[in-house]
Amino acid sequence: MKKIIITKPGCQELANHLWNYLSIYAYGLETGAQVVNPSFSKWYRYFNLKKDILERLWSTFDGLYGSYVVRAHKKCALLAVNEVVYLSPTTNKNACDTLYFIGWFFRNPLGLKKYRDEIISAFQPKEHILKKIERILSPFVGKRLIGVQIRQQSYPGFPDGNFLVPIPRVRHIVDEYLHAEKLHARDVALIIVSDKDVSTDVFEELNVHISHEDEVTNLFLLSKCSVIIGSNSTFSNLSAWFGNTPHLVTTNEPIDWEYYTGKTTYFENKHTTFSQ
């Protein structure tokens, strides 16, 4: 069996790691290759993923090992460092017995569709996380769950706050969504996650739960909602993918509600520029 090793992705946030990991994992399923990912060591304890011996040995030394790979395995190293590299279930075949994937911009939309069930099964979070999510959502049984993801910290590389949407603006978008869907406030519940504290005052008159859980719990908590109204981020879009639910991208510009009309499941949203 061939082997794929993900090393030195060069990203920090969970969703960036996962989009990359899922895309390469689908490629591994298509080509019959075992995928090992020492760079994911920070999050393995949250998932039921089986760890390979290589992941145990190399997780601490990923940075050094990644640099070594670039120098010593150029013919068998695939790079996606500065631009997106699309993997396909039917192309990108390689004769190397071991392939090294470097960078976090690998994407595989066809593979994610083809192997969705296998990926969902493999990347299930631990049982205690699923039970915690059940407890959080139990007070809102019978209500339509609306996931709201708010990014308040600037993106790396955008120190001026590009792509950030103020919380009052997010509330306005939520109100527009309720109006467009003809939903009454009493019939819905907002499940809000953010990288900083959020005051419930902005969302008065609505049933609200503001989560203070870890990244993995928040990711799968949002995936249980019927829609995700969230920032232009890999986090919101990945939650939508796991839940097979639409991601409505928040923006400071007017929302193109016609574009979202009839969208009830996950789709490749032209406004999710960080995920493509």
Side-chain angles (χ1 to χ4, degrees):
M1 176 183 289
K2 290 188 176 183
K3 180 168 288 185
I4 291 171
I5 299 174
I6 303 173
T7 185
K8 202 176 176 65
C11 58
Q12 299 297 324
E13 297 186 11
L14 168 68
N16 292 341
H17 273 276
L18 269 176
W19 268 122
N20 199 58
Y21 196 172
L22 300 186
S23 297
I24 297 171
Y25 190 87
Y27 178 77
L29 290 173
E30 178 67 23
T31 58
Q34 178 189 8
V35 179
V36 296
N37 188 0
S39 70
F40 201 66
S41 59
K42 177 180 177 181
W43 293 285
Y44 269 119
R45 69 181 185 272
Y46 297 102
F47 291 87
N48 289 322
L49 289 160
K50 296 180 180 178
K51 290 182 66 176
D52 183 88
I53 185 63
L54 292 176
E55 287 154 322
R56 298 188 181 96
L57 291 175
W58 294 343
S59 60
T60 306
F61 307 102
D62 181 51
L64 293 175
Y65 185 77
S67 299
Y68 166 75
V69 167
V70 173
R71 296 193 305 271
H73 298 278
K74 288 184 178 179
K75 292 183 179 179
C76 294
L78 301 181
L79 277 67
V81 178
N82 297 316
E83 60 182 15
V84 172
V85 172
Y86 287 100
L87 302 171
S88 169
T90 55
T91 60
N92 303 102
K93 300 293 191 290
N94 195 293
C96 296
D97 289 332
T98 301
L99 278 175
Y100 301 89
F101 282 70
I102 300 166
W104 65 277
F105 289 110
F106 291 102
R107 297 292 183 268
N108 192 350
L110 295 178
L112 292 183
K113 289 180 180 178
K114 182 175 181 179
Y115 295 105
R116 177 179 176 83
D117 291 344
E118 292 89 337
I119 294 170
I120 293 292
S121 176
F123 285 82
Q124 280 294 295
K126 296 286 188 180
E127 184 65 23
H128 71 89
I129 293 177
L130 294 176
K131 289 186 178 298
K132 181 186 295 184
I133 291 173
E134 287 181 7
R135 291 196 297 271
I136 291 172
L137 297 180
S138 61
F140 307 112
V141 172
K143 297 188 182 297
R144 183 167 180 174
L145 301 179
I146 299 175
V148 178
Q149 186 266 337
I150 303 172
R151 176 92 182 204
Q152 299 186 69
Q153 293 181 309
S154 297
Y155 290 97
F158 298 94
D160 294 333
N162 302 60
F163 302 103
L164 299 185
V165 179
I167 297 176
R169 168 63 182 157
V170 174
R171 167 63 198 263
H172 182 72
I173 294 171
V174 169
D175 288 340
E176 286 187 329
Y177 174 77
L178 296 180
H179 178 75
E181 294 294 312
K182 298 179 174 57
L183 294 171
H184 194 281
R186 64 173 176 269
D187 299 322
V188 304
L190 302 190
I191 309 301
I192 300 176
V193 306
S194 180
D195 50 1
K196 288 185 177 181
D197 289 339
V198 175
S199 172
T200 57
D201 294 344
V202 181
F203 296 95
E204 61 180 354
E205 301 176 358
L206 292 168
N207 298 300
V208 173
H209 172 82
I210 298 177
S211 177
H212 300 284
E213 305 296 337
D214 59 79
E215 283 182 290
V216 176
T217 303
N218 282 340
L219 182 81
F220 286 95
L221 177 63
L222 284 182
S223 76
K224 302 299 181 182
C225 298
S226 63
V227 65
I228 296 174
I229 299 174
S231 63
N232 177 13
S233 67
T234 53
F235 191 93
S236 285
N237 210 46
L238 185 60
S239 294
W241 184 85
F242 270 109
N244 193 25
T245 193
H247 171 204
L248 279 59
V249 179
T250 56
T251 174
N252 291 307
E253 303 299 323
I255 302 296
D256 181 6
W257 290 109
E258 184 176 351
Y259 176 70
Y260 292 110
T261 299
K263 303 289 197 304
T264 58
T265 59
Y266 178 80
F267 66 101
E268 293 181 25
N269 191 328
K270 65 182 180 181
H271 299 297
T272 57
T273 57
F274 284 102
S275 300
Q276 301 174 4

